[in-house]
Amino acid sequence: MSGITILGSTGSIGVNTLDVIRQHPGRYEVVALTAHTSVDKLYEQCLEWHPRYAVLRDESAAEQLQNRLASSLPDIEVLAGEAGLEKVAALPEVSIVMAAIVGAAGLLSTLAAAQAGKKVLLANKEALVMSGQLFMDAISRNQATLLPIDSEHNAIFQCLFNQDKNAVERILLTASGGPFRTWSPEQLADVTPAQACAHPNWEMGQKISVDSATMMNKGLEVIEAHWLFNLPTEQIEVLIHPQSVIHSLVEYADGSLLAQLGNPDMRTPIAYGLAWPQRMASGVARLDLTRVAKLNFEAADFSRFPCLQLAYEALIAGGTTTTILNAANEVAVDAFLNQKLAFTQIAAIIEQTLGHISGRPAQTLEVILEDDQQAREFATAKLT
Ligand code: NAD
Ligand code: MG
């Protein structure tokens, strides 16, 4: 049995991960489950999975969980705070860590898993966007294994596996285009959080849903691809593909394009990551190509979706510029979700933050966290 910690077990990726594990009794032991404040959901997961550890980032939520478990499952150790997350990411009895916390909040625990040499299943793309080189160094220095769970990167990983890496000409990251792919700039000005969170093909957490609607998600994925596959920006392209059936492609020197296809269901990349280098059932419905019938493609529109442009520019600028981009985006998306910022102002806040704070070499964690904090403060001040 492989011991697994799921960071962010109550979220969309976390719940899908448990669903895949449920289909393979005896193969994985759920050692630790974690969440931010969701006491009820984590309590239910504890009843089903009986992990050794349950962690809540929020201290008072942890106390509530502790009280509820005291009568039913007193042997589950309840931990709180960042220290609890980092501890369960590095336990000796754990070999696999699913990093599925959303945003910068997942950086330190994901890094702890890398430093402990785990098989890291990376869904938390923001961690890599913030700390690119530092994170990749932690993986290689500690002989950790990094498996991308983001569907596009998982597809590319599959299309690169056992291939001649020197013959890669470019990768094509597919993007559905989100719910507003065909909307005019005027329509975009009045978008509500509910509209932005209603993604046509995927069911996801709120933050990534808004990122998909602004296309910042694809921008973050370009940066993620740069670090995961060690490719220069010029070799990473975005291709709009509204059906989300082709999850991404790799083009080789001989003109071959390798693609991975499947229904848009995160349980496929999750099962791939869990079983790698083997494969196992995921519970995902088979893709019926005769029902799909047509696959469409178009170029990305950088003018209606300026976040994509900002992400490319931040990647080219390098260093902590992508940390600043990510931090400003998190602040702006949160403000949009709380109806304190218009949809089209998300990009404006990020642009202003990038214009005000200069990136610098991202050599240490201190520098990264400092620039993250500075960007958050500046972006927050711009909201009012
Ligand atoms: P979600 O909002 O559904 O879940 C987030 C999880 O993180 C929850 O368990 C929550 O309790 C926990 N969390 C939130 N804030 C926290 C904090 N401050 N401290 C500790 N824990 C915290 O998000 P999601 O859609 O599952 O996405 C998770 C990550 O996976 C994101 O980085 C996202 O970009 C990435 N991802 C998600 C999908 C998807 O289909 N949902 C696809 C690709 C990549
Ligand atoms: Mg993705």
Side-chain angles (χ1 to χ4, degrees):
M1 286 240 269
S2 308
I4 181 167
T5 283
I6 304 177
L7 300 169
S9 64
T10 58
S12 162
I13 293 287
V15 167
N16 276 307
T17 303
L18 288 169
D19 186 76
V20 174
I21 291 176
R22 198 180 285 115
Q23 298 169 49
H24 300 276
R27 190 158 173 170
Y28 301 95
E29 187 201 347
V30 177
V31 177
L33 296 173
T34 88
H36 186 202
T37 54
S38 323
V39 179
D40 292 346
K41 274 194 196 162
L42 196 57
Y43 177 72
E44 273 170 36
Q45 291 184 341
C46 284
L47 292 184
E48 178 179 356
W49 296 97
H50 204 146
R52 292 187 218 176
Y53 299 88
V55 188
L56 281 157
R57 172 71 170 263
D58 183 85
E59 310 265 344
S60 73
E63 232 179 271
Q64 288 174 45
L65 182 69
Q66 172 86 66
N67 292 338
R68 284 176 68 175
L69 287 173
S71 51
S72 46
L73 292 165
D75 52 331
I76 297 180
E77 194 171 328
V78 178
L79 303 173
E82 181 58 41
L85 296 175
E86 288 177 44
K87 175 173 173 170
V88 299
L91 292 168
E93 63 267 44
V94 162
S95 57
I96 306 174
V97 174
M98 168 56 83
I101 291 175
V102 59
L107 175 63
L108 297 180
S109 49
T110 305
L111 208 49
Q115 281 156 353
K118 304 302 184 196
K119 176 167 148 180
V120 181
L121 274 48
L122 185 74
N124 181 205
K125 66 192 86 185
E126 296 92 344
L128 194 53
V129 168
M130 286 177 79
S131 71
Q133 189 67 60
L134 193 97
F135 186 82
M136 296 309 290
D137 287 349
I139 291 284
S140 59
R141 206 173 317 117
N142 299 288
Q143 284 99 47
T145 304
L146 183 56
L147 295 167
I149 297 303
D150 213 347
S151 57
E152 297 77 4
H153 306 74
N154 188 269
I156 291 163
F157 186 90
Q158 295 194 39
C159 297
L160 288 171
F161 199 59
N162 283 336
Q163 297 291 334
D164 178 2
K165 308 270 186 311
N166 296 320
V168 172
E169 301 251 297
R170 57 181 183 147
I171 59 177
L172 294 165
L173 283 176
T174 51
S176 69
F180 311 132
R181 180 176 58 88
T182 59
W183 287 34
S184 68
E186 295 72 37
Q187 287 174 301
L188 288 176
D190 298 323
V191 158
T192 65
Q195 288 172 317
C197 289
H199 196 278
N201 306 340
W202 299 94
E203 268 189 56
M204 311 179 285
Q206 286 196 317
K207 193 264 177 181
I208 184 176
S209 297
V210 176
D211 284 347
S212 301
T214 60
M215 291 206 66
M216 178 56 94
N217 182 51
K218 210 51 54 182
L220 298 177
E221 290 184 359
V222 168
I223 301 167
E224 184 185 11
H226 164 77
W227 292 114
L228 284 173
F229 307 117
N230 191 24
L231 285 172
T233 317
E234 315 82 76
Q235 282 175 275
I236 308 169
E237 285 178 34
V238 171
L239 176 69
I240 304 291
H241 164 46
Q243 292 91 354
S244 299
V245 162
I246 297 182
H247 297 306
S248 278
L249 310 95
V250 179
E251 187 179 74
Y252 288 95
D254 58 8
S256 296
L257 275 169
L258 299 195
Q260 185 257 352
L261 285 73
N263 270 321
D265 186 322
M266 288 307 293
R267 292 176 301 170
T268 294
I270 290 167
Y272 182 87
L274 284 170
W276 184 87
Q278 294 169 303
R279 287 189 188 259
M280 67 183 193
S282 63
V284 173
R286 297 297 103 140
L287 178 64
D288 181 348
L289 284 169
T290 58
R291 280 189 62 187
V292 175
K294 284 197 176 99
L295 296 176
N296 298 80
F297 305 96
E298 56 196 60
D301 181 347
F302 287 78
S303 68
R304 273 183 312 130
F305 298 100
C307 284
L308 191 53
Q309 181 71 34
L310 291 171
Y312 265 107
E313 285 168 8
L315 178 57
I316 291 164
T320 58
T321 313
T322 57
T323 315
I324 296 161
L325 171 96
N326 178 68
N329 181 55
E330 287 192 23
V331 169
V333 169
D334 187 63
F336 168 69
L337 283 168
N338 289 299
Q339 294 178 297
K340 289 181 186 145
L341 189 72
F343 182 75
T344 43
Q345 286 302 304
I346 295 175
I349 293 281
I350 301 165
E351 191 170 10
Q352 286 167 29
T353 309
L354 286 166
H356 185 78
I357 304 171
S358 310
R360 47 181 169 153
Q363 276 149 349
T364 65
L365 188 58
E366 288 69 35
V367 163
I368 290 166
L369 295 177
E370 226 174 80
D371 286 9
D372 172 80
Q373 188 55 34
Q374 250 207 314
R376 276 169 207 277
E377 282 166 19
F378 182 84
T380 305
K382 280 283 152 197
L383 292 173
T384 49

